[in-house]
Amino acid sequence: MIRVRNLALAIAATAAATVTFGPAEALVQSSWDPSLVAYSYVYYADEAKTEVLGHAWDRCGGSGNNVYVLKPYIPTAHYDETPSYVCTGMGPYLPPDWPY
């Protein structure tokens, strides 16, 4: 029963992602759990993004069977994020059909 519910949730999330983000982003979100996609960041001093303050990267973490993404501290609300890889139980993974 739980597997059926998870499948239904995955299908609904994929449909919503396709409508909201488009085909490339939907591919990322439909193939893997979106919460396990790690990003790289460039953060800026101002809203116009004219002065770069630094760079940061997500890391993969895990405990037992749990896999998660460790987000860095970014000291400003002005940043760009780029998907980098997917965190898995075997470590970071760059799928062959990665759209980025």
Side-chain angles (χ1 to χ4, degrees):
M1 187 58 134
I2 292 175
R3 294 179 89 175
V4 172
R5 190 183 100 223
N6 288 344
L7 178 60
L9 290 173
I11 292 170
T14 301
T18 302
V19 170
T20 305
F21 298 109
E25 291 82 358
L27 175 63
V28 172
Q29 293 193 5
S30 67
S31 298
W32 308 281
D33 181 351
S35 67
L36 295 179
V37 175
Y39 294 86
S40 63
Y41 305 89
V42 178
Y43 53 94
Y44 304 91
D46 58 343
E47 188 174 351
K49 299 179 180 178
T50 57
E51 183 182 343
V52 175
L53 290 178
H55 301 268
W57 299 266
D58 288 342
R59 295 180 303 145
C60 296
S63 176
N65 291 332
N66 296 324
V67 177
Y68 47 86
V69 177
L70 297 166
K71 301 286 185 185
Y73 171 71
I74 298 177
T76 177
H78 313 294
Y79 61 88
D80 291 326
E81 61 183 16
T82 304
S84 298
Y85 51 84
V86 177
C87 292
T88 68
M90 301 296 285
Y93 175 65
L94 186 61
D97 57 349
W98 190 251
Y100 298 101

